[in-house]
Amino acid sequence: MTNYKTIVFVHGLHENAESWKSWKLFFEKTGYECHTPNYPFHDGIPDELRQNPNRELAKIRMNDVVNHYVKFIDSLGGVIPILIGHSMGGLIVQKLVHLEKGLLGVCITSASPKGVLSFKWSFIKSNWGAINPFKGNSLYCGTREWFHYAICNTLTRQESDEIYEKDVVPESRNIPRSSRFGDGMIDFNKPHKPLLFISAENDHIIPTSLNLKNIASYKDKHSIKDFKQFKGRSHSLCVQKGWEEVAQFIEYWLIKNTKI
C-alpha cells in the first residue's frame, strides 16, 4: 500500500533515535506520520547507555540491523514508507530500497556500500577506531576528542561536547566491519526507487567524494538519483545549528518525487 505521508527514520552508528527528536517534530508538523525505531540494543537514554551498555550489542552485524528494520516496516500494515537515514543509516536505507521496502530513500552523509571506498586520511582516521580488527568484539564508544574530529569538526569543542553528552551511545564494531563485506552489498544495476544523497562539505568521516562515488555506482539510467551538498557543514549536520535547512530541502524533494 502506497502512503506518501509515512516516514521511517534510520539513525547512524554511535547514536540512537534520540538524535531524530527534532526531525520527527518537524515532519509531523508538515503532516507526516513519523517512526524512529532504534537498532537492536540501542533503546534508552544515551548517557545511561554509555554507563551501562547491553553487552549483546557486540554481536550485532549490519544485516541484523537491516532485518530489524524490515520487520518494523512489515509491521506497518502493508504501508511502504519514505526512508530517511543518516550515516550508517543512509546505507541501511540503500539496502532497504534495494529490498523494495521503501517508497523513496534519503541518504544523509551516507556510509557507502561494499566496494565503494575512500582513501582520504580523514576517512581512515575517523573510522579506524570502530573497525580496528585488533579490538575483537569489544564495544566501541569514541572519546570526545574523536567525536569532535570525526563528527563535529566545524563546531567548537564545547558545542561538540554538548552533542556528545546528548546523543552518543556505545556501538558494535561488527556493524561497520560487516558493511565492508557481504552485508553491505548492493546490486547497482537493479532499477530502484528515487534516492537523494546529501553530503556535508567539511565532513571528515564520510567525505563528499565518497558520496559522489556511491551515487555514480548506481547504473540504471531510468532510476532517479539526486545529490545536494550543504556548504560549511560537518557530519553532524542533522543536529548542528541550521539542521532545519536540510530538513526543508528534503521536504521539498519528497513533495516533488511523490508526484511522479
Side-chain angles (χ1 to χ4, degrees):
M1 178 172 60
T2 301
N3 186 325
Y4 301 126
K5 302 297 280 187
T6 299
I7 299 175
V8 173
F9 290 93
V10 186
H11 64 79
L13 299 177
H14 320 294
E15 61 187 0
N16 67 8
E18 292 289 309
S19 63
W20 286 123
K21 275 187 173 179
S22 296
W23 285 66
K24 186 173 186 290
L25 290 172
F26 175 91
F27 279 97
E28 284 175 343
K29 287 179 180 177
T30 58
Y32 290 89
E33 177 182 336
C34 298
H35 303 275
T36 58
N38 285 305
Y39 290 11
F41 307 117
H42 281 63
D43 294 332
I45 304 302
D47 178 55
E48 295 175 1
L49 291 174
R50 289 196 299 273
Q51 296 178 50
N52 187 30
N54 189 323
R55 297 297 167 181
E56 292 297 308
L57 172 62
K59 304 174 185 178
I60 297 297
R61 296 170 55 93
M62 182 182 166
N63 270 350
D64 296 315
V65 181
V66 172
N67 292 334
H68 179 75
Y69 279 90
V70 167
K71 290 178 181 177
F72 180 84
I73 292 167
D74 288 347
S75 75
L76 296 177
V79 170
I80 302 175
I82 293 163
L83 303 170
I84 299 178
H86 172 245
S87 195
M88 184 59 70
L91 177 52
I92 292 167
V93 164
Q94 292 181 65
K95 290 282 290 186
L96 292 170
V97 168
H98 182 256
L99 294 170
E100 301 181 4
K101 294 295 181 178
L103 177 68
L104 303 167
V106 179
C107 308
I108 306 170
T109 57
S110 178
S112 59
K114 177 187 177 183
V116 182
L117 299 171
S118 173
F119 297 100
K120 289 191 69 172
W121 172 244
S122 69
F123 173 81
I124 296 168
K125 180 178 178 180
S126 298
N127 284 285
W128 177 252
I131 65 172
N132 187 342
F134 301 108
K135 295 294 185 177
N137 288 331
S138 62
L139 294 177
Y140 178 74
C141 191
T143 64
R144 288 166 178 78
E145 181 181 11
W146 165 82
F147 188 73
H148 186 222
Y149 177 82
I151 310 296
C152 295
N153 53 290
T154 60
L155 306 184
T156 67
R157 178 59 187 269
Q158 180 179 347
E159 290 169 329
S160 176
D161 286 354
E162 289 172 357
I163 294 172
Y164 184 101
E165 290 297 328
K166 183 169 63 75
D167 289 337
V168 170
V169 303
E171 195 54 81
S172 167
R173 297 177 187 274
N174 287 314
I175 297 175
R177 286 171 181 165
S178 61
S179 74
R180 300 297 85 210
F181 298 98
D183 287 18
M185 186 175 292
I186 297 282
D187 180 357
F188 291 119
N189 293 311
K190 180 180 178 180
H192 57 81
K193 295 293 186 180
L195 290 170
L196 170 63
F197 289 84
I198 289 178
S199 79
E201 180 186 25
N202 303 120
D203 195 335
H204 275 172
I205 196 167
I206 304 290
T208 293
S209 57
L210 185 59
N211 290 145
L212 292 173
K213 282 184 180 180
N214 193 163
I215 296 165
S217 298
Y218 283 91
K219 303 303 183 185
D220 184 69
K221 295 180 180 180
H222 302 290
S223 298
I224 294 170
K225 51 178 186 177
D226 290 330
F227 172 75
K228 170 69 174 178
Q229 182 191 72
F230 282 87
K231 301 290 185 180
R233 310 295 176 91
S234 60
H235 194 68
S236 63
L237 80 172
C238 289
V239 293
Q240 66 184 233
K241 184 178 179 181
W243 66 266
E244 297 92 341
E245 181 186 358
V246 184
Q248 286 167 356
F249 180 86
I250 291 171
E251 183 191 2
Y252 299 147
W253 185 85
L254 294 179
I255 292 169
K256 173 185 174 183
N257 285 281
T258 50
K259 292 180 179 179
I260 294 174

